[in-house]
Amino acid sequence: MNWLWAIIVGLVLGVLARAILPGRQPIPLWLTTIFGILGAIVGNAVAGWVGVRHTSGIDWWRHLLQVAGAVVIVALGTPLYASIRGGRRRERA
């Protein structure tokens, strides 16, 4: 069941990150989900380092850090994916 939640949270975070970033991100939905999952992992790690991982009530800081992590990963991963995908297209032509 944890994997299902990771996929759902990753999808939501990835879509939020794509909505926050300006412009178009030409990445598929499966990569958006993976980037969102990685963003959640990075956000949880940063929350642990900062000391806000476990708070009473809703962990707003942790959630904000997860979204920020997803934004950074989508921003860095999109051009990387585009360059890899573009490189493959050039080889075939």
Side-chain angles (χ1 to χ4, degrees):
M1 195 66 169
N2 288 336
W3 285 103
L4 179 63
W5 278 113
I7 292 169
I8 292 170
V9 168
L11 177 63
V12 169
L13 286 175
V15 169
L16 276 174
R18 286 179 69 173
I20 290 171
L21 287 170
R24 184 175 177 271
Q25 293 79 35
I27 57 175
L29 190 59
W30 64 267
L31 193 56
T32 301
T33 303
I34 291 173
F35 286 166
I37 291 169
L38 292 174
I41 292 170
V42 169
N44 282 336
V46 171
W49 295 331
V50 175
V52 294
R53 186 167 185 175
H54 300 290
T55 60
S56 60
I58 299 174
D59 295 333
W60 291 110
W61 287 109
R62 182 173 55 98
H63 296 315
L64 288 173
L65 290 170
Q66 288 175 338
V67 170
V71 167
V72 168
I73 290 176
V74 168
L76 295 175
T78 299
L80 180 64
Y81 176 76
S83 69
I84 291 170
R85 187 168 180 229
R88 287 185 184 164
R89 281 190 178 168
R90 279 183 252 148
E91 289 174 6
R92 289 182 187 168

